[in-house]
Amino acid sequence: MTGLAVDDAAWASAWRRRAPGDKLLLCAGLVLCALLLPAWPAAVLVTTTAVVLALGPARVPARTFGRAVRWPLAFIAVGAVTAVVTVDGGGLGWAPDAVARAFSLVGRAVAGSCAVLLLATTTPMSDLLPALRRLRVPAAVVEVAEVTYRLLFVLLDSLRTIREAQTARMGWSTPGRSYRSAGMLAAAVLTRSWDRARRMQEGLAGRGMETGLRGLPEERPSSRPFLALGLALPAGITVLTLVAR
């Protein structure tokens, strides 16, 4: 258990042993369908496909997938409202094509988010980062992602430790104490994270940092049936969308 629900789901997923490149192909195809095809019915098809694959063959817990998608949904809702509201001499109002614009924006965003979450809940970062390196993603980008991934768990560990200490001292027993404890918790985690990041930077600089961060990726063979699935599903969504239009 890593402490992150999405990461725990990825490690426990039935697709954990599949090649990361195969899953990248499938999810990238779904994201492209959500972005390039007309929102109706492509967004609905992509969303349905991603959710069915995650909860079905990949065996991602529905509660975990639902909790992971709620924050993107909140961000999408705020973005949709700001996109369809107009401000003119008469004050606030709806854009002439507000319904169509909102449906297109929300549909594409939800579909793309579900496709990305399908990848996130089935592929641990320790598998995904070596795959990105093999796909010629700039080394600096991959190394920043690796360091950020590591520091994320340091941050969560600090957060958990400090909160447990505050709870033991009745720091969350009343609204006033909770307010004060929340401020102290944020300040302590921020300073501790800053100190950990500084020490890591100094340690890496002391070692030269000439060849980048290297791990021992576990090689997994690609599956032809899964590759066929990764090509057939986006192609099928494209055909159905064009026929429906």
Side-chain angles (χ1 to χ4, degrees):
M1 300 290 286
T2 61
L4 281 179
V6 172
D7 205 55
D8 291 339
W11 283 98
S13 169
W15 286 3
R16 164 74 177 85
R17 295 294 175 184
R18 295 200 175 276
D22 295 1
K23 290 178 280 187
L24 270 174
L25 176 66
L26 170 62
C27 296
L30 293 178
V31 170
L32 289 177
C33 287
L35 293 178
L36 302 179
L37 294 176
W40 171 258
V44 177
L45 292 174
V46 171
T47 302
T48 304
T49 302
V51 173
V52 169
L53 289 176
L55 305 186
R59 299 177 189 173
V60 177
R63 178 181 174 85
T64 300
F65 198 87
R67 288 172 62 87
V69 80
R70 60 180 177 174
W71 294 113
L73 289 179
F75 182 79
I76 291 168
V78 174
V81 170
T82 58
V84 300
V85 173
T86 61
V87 180
D88 51 23
L92 293 177
W94 299 106
D97 56 345
V99 176
R101 186 184 300 181
F103 174 77
S104 177
L105 177 62
V106 172
R108 293 178 190 278
V110 171
S113 299
C114 289
V116 173
L117 282 177
L118 172 63
L119 178 65
T121 53
T122 57
T123 311
M125 285 295 287
S126 57
D127 293 345
L128 189 59
L129 293 174
L132 294 177
R133 186 175 285 111
R134 287 193 293 271
L135 291 174
R136 305 295 183 186
V137 174
V141 175
V142 178
E143 288 171 7
V144 169
E146 286 179 333
V147 173
T148 303
Y149 180 64
R150 171 56 185 155
L151 285 178
L152 182 62
F153 294 103
V154 175
L155 176 66
L156 289 175
D157 184 63
S158 300
L159 183 68
R160 190 180 305 112
T161 302
I162 296 172
R163 184 177 173 83
E164 288 176 354
Q166 289 179 331
T167 302
R169 297 176 181 177
M170 305 297 288
W172 299 87
S173 57
T174 64
R177 289 182 178 180
S178 299
Y179 181 78
R180 185 166 54 254
S181 296
M184 295 173 65
L185 177 64
V189 170
L190 178 63
T191 54
R192 184 172 295 190
S193 303
W194 183 274
D195 180 65
R196 290 288 186 93
R198 180 184 56 79
R199 289 161 59 186
M200 178 178 287
Q201 180 184 12
E202 292 175 354
L204 293 175
R207 296 176 183 178
M209 196 62 183
E210 297 177 352
T211 59
L213 298 173
R214 295 295 180 184
L216 295 175
E218 185 178 353
E219 296 293 338
R220 296 186 180 84
S222 181
S223 168
R224 289 186 178 181
F226 197 90
L227 281 176
L229 177 70
L231 294 174
L233 283 177
I237 291 173
T238 302
V239 172
L240 288 176
T241 302
L242 296 179
V243 170
R245 296 291 292 182

